[in-house]
Amino acid sequence: MTSLPAANTVQLPQASENDAHCPDEKSSVLVGPILEDDELQYPEGGLRAWLVVLGSFCGMLACYGYMNTISTYNTYLSTHQLSNYSESSIGWIFSVYIFLTFFCGIQIGPVFDARGPRLLVLLGSILMMASVMLMGVCSQYWQFLIVFGILGGAGTSLIVTPAVAAIGHFFLAKRANATGIATTGGSIGGVIFPLMLESLFLKVGWAWATRIQGFVFLVLLAVANLLIRVRLRPLPQGSVFPNPRIFRQPAFVMVTIGAYFLEWGLFVPVTYLTSYCLDSGAMNPTFAFQVIAIYNAASSVGRWASGFLADRYGSYNIMIVTVFFCMSSSIGLWLPAAVLSARNSNQTTNYGLTVAYSVLMGIASGSNISLAPVCVGALCDTREYGQYYAMCYTVVAFGTLTGVPIAGAIIEANGGAYWGVAIFTAMCYLCALASFAVIRIAKVGRRWNSIY
């Protein structure tokens, strides 16, 4: 396809013999007012649709805000309760959290498609509140692993999977923009919560700082429970069990590989950027904690902008461009800064490179969260969106489980220097870039002006 679809006419992905869903669901190429099935006339807006986006925004503000505060938690715990543990060991706590955030979707996605979001979001909210409120009384490694890693990870998955998939019930042509708006909640949370915790740690201590964060979560999750809803009825053959036949589609396999490497690389700077800033000596401790807030503020712009542009120029096109900049900024900015830090030389340049990396990487990496689900959704019927999203991110979960500990081990192997993790991050994005480029070429060829 070489031009944008008309305002009320949207092209669905073409069916193939390898599709895991029923061919009848793809028998109509056009979706819009000319169809008799009113359910397939996507509202693309309106009060009800935007309230669902608001509910998803609030859910992600809490859940992804929790996730984007990992760097602050990692830095605090490594110098207080868990100061006797290595970076790699502490990293497993956060890896388990991220792993369960995506892995639990293998069952949550099919249940969402068959039963809807209400009970899933409610159960997730209970687990999230238990996690954040119990954090204040944790003092041992195993306690943090259970409370943050397991309770927090499962709770986040139960909320995020329905929050992402529900948007697809109301938007098709404008899905990328709507998803981008909702996912900016996570980045905004990544700005608010690190700055809030940095101040509260000094004023009220660890326990009450995390409890105050929990009270904020309570309000946000109440809104998510009220507003996240679905519109489309389940497919007649829908099941609450995972469907591995989805992986018969080569394009789906490639997008899963691409998302795997995206997340493998993404959570390295999210976890270690604050620690790097403290260890580099190029900035004072107060600003070192604020760098992750700068990163997340830039990411909120990237999440919205990538979704907005994807609806006009194609989700895969924009994904390829943003992933290229993630790779380039890691090699061109973070790597030189890490090398200078290891040599204890030119701290002014190091300072500038680190801040520039936080801004540019933040903007570029915003698409990792907002566009990857849209790229998955382009390959399936909307009523199977939850299952496709869940199957993809179940595989991705194994990358998130190992990425942070691997990065921690690289730091230890390099004597505390961070140049190795900068290279690791860039190589992850190179592999992701290749995967998304393969899908685009397979679908529309090598024409640079094709919209896909």
Side-chain angles (χ1 to χ4, degrees), residues 51-226:
L51 285 176
V52 171
V53 174
L54 176 60
S56 296
F57 175 91
C58 290
M60 293 188 203
L61 179 56
C63 294
Y64 279 148
Y66 205 30
M67 181 182 291
N68 287 332
T69 313
I70 283 176
S71 185
T72 300
Y73 286 139
N74 177 72
T75 303
Y76 187 91
L77 294 177
S78 65
T79 56
H80 291 80
Q81 293 97 319
L82 303 180
S83 58
N84 293 327
Y85 290 85
S86 67
E87 286 281 3
S88 181
S89 297
I90 297 172
W92 278 107
I93 297 172
F94 306 115
S95 288
V96 168
Y97 168 83
I98 300 168
F99 171 77
L100 290 178
T101 293
F102 297 122
F103 181 79
C104 291
I106 191 172
Q107 188 59 63
I108 295 170
V111 171
F112 168 85
D113 287 335
R115 301 289 185 266
R118 187 175 301 237
L119 291 178
L120 296 174
V121 177
L122 177 60
L123 178 58
S125 300
I126 293 171
L127 293 180
M128 278 289 293
M129 290 304 303
S131 175
V132 72
M133 288 301 187
L134 289 173
M135 280 275 281
V137 298
C138 292
S139 60
Q140 303 296 317
Y141 182 90
W142 66 270
Q143 294 171 343
F144 286 107
L145 183 61
I146 292 174
V147 169
F148 187 87
I150 296 176
L151 289 181
T156 298
S157 185
L158 283 161
I159 296 169
V160 167
T161 303
V164 171
I167 294 172
H169 282 240
F170 295 87
F171 297 88
L172 184 61
K174 299 179 180 179
R175 182 179 293 171
N177 186 39
T179 304
I181 291 171
T183 56
T184 58
S187 295
I188 293 173
V191 175
I192 295 172
F193 296 126
L195 295 178
M196 181 184 80
L197 289 172
E198 179 204 352
S199 176
L200 291 175
F201 286 155
L202 298 175
K203 294 177 180 177
V204 297
W206 166 265
W208 271 105
T210 53
R211 288 171 192 149
I212 292 170
Q213 185 180 23
F215 292 132
V216 177
F217 281 6
L218 182 62
V219 175
L220 295 171
L221 295 176
V223 175
N225 276 270
L226 289 173

